[in-house]
Amino acid sequence: GRFHFFESYVGEDGFKHHTATPHFALWEAFASSDPWTAPPKVSFYTEDAPGKAGLAPISESQPLLCLNARICVKPERRADFFSALRADRDGALASEPLAVAHLFGEDTNAPNVFHLFEQYAGGQRGFDEHVSTAHYAAWSAFKRTHPFTAPMDLSFYEADE
């Protein structure tokens, strides 16, 4: 199976500080023991609108459904992409009671490659409610205009903690 995790830091300095901590050293020791069935994929990106949170609080009593996506955008469609995805993000965070997080940013090493992270309380129900909204319908309509250079790489998973 695949294992996913998401980490967020305040700038590159925040990540550098993280790499100097004792718990990161423990992680590095584990990672160097060759525990993987395939090499891990690590992506760095700068968030488009840091600090925005959804309406749903994180609660241990509700499952959190997460979505990671890698999106390769045609250069000539960047402006349309930003407009469509920002509208979906802003709508989700401002109006959906089960939206916890919805963020994206451009890969620091690959122009026009974007990474998206979404998180919904209530498990699948939270995501199902998201895809029934007008702001998602507009994002979905944009996706049907063939703005990508490759199929979106999507992964859904339930957060462990």
Side-chain angles (χ1 to χ4, degrees):
R2 293 173 68 179
F3 181 81
H4 301 272
F5 66 90
F6 173 82
E7 298 177 325
S8 181
Y9 302 94
V10 178
E12 191 174 335
D13 288 342
F15 177 72
K16 286 180 182 176
H17 174 75
H18 170 66
T19 63
T21 63
H23 59 270
F24 185 80
L26 292 171
W27 170 256
E28 286 293 288
F30 168 74
S32 67
S33 71
D34 194 30
W36 319 118
T37 58
K41 295 179 185 177
V42 178
S43 302
F44 291 93
Y45 60 95
T46 301
E47 189 178 342
D48 180 65
K52 290 188 175 190
L55 298 175
I58 295 178
S59 166
E60 290 184 23
S61 65
Q62 287 201 60
L64 291 173
L65 180 71
C66 302
L67 159 69
N68 286 342
R70 183 175 184 271
I71 308 168
C72 303
V73 179
K74 293 176 181 175
E76 66 274 14
R77 300 299 308 276
R78 278 179 70 94
D80 297 332
F81 167 78
F82 278 116
S83 178
L85 192 51
R86 284 174 178 154
D88 185 43
R89 174 201 59 209
D90 294 347
L93 296 178
S95 68
E96 295 180 33
L98 296 177
V100 175
H102 191 299
L103 56 96
F104 73 96
E106 187 168 13
D107 192 292
T108 58
N109 297 310
N112 301 311
V113 173
F114 295 85
H115 301 280
L116 170 67
F117 174 76
E118 298 178 30
Q119 191 174 50
Y120 298 93
Q124 186 65 45
R125 180 172 62 98
F127 183 74
D128 291 346
E129 289 183 15
H130 171 64
V131 299
S132 71
T133 63
H135 49 267
Y136 181 83
W139 165 245
S140 188
F142 168 75
K143 292 189 297 182
R144 289 191 301 272
T145 66
H146 308 288
F148 308 127
T149 59
M152 287 179 33
D153 180 10
L154 296 171
S155 297
F156 289 90
Y157 59 97
E158 194 169 293
D160 188 34
E161 289 185 17

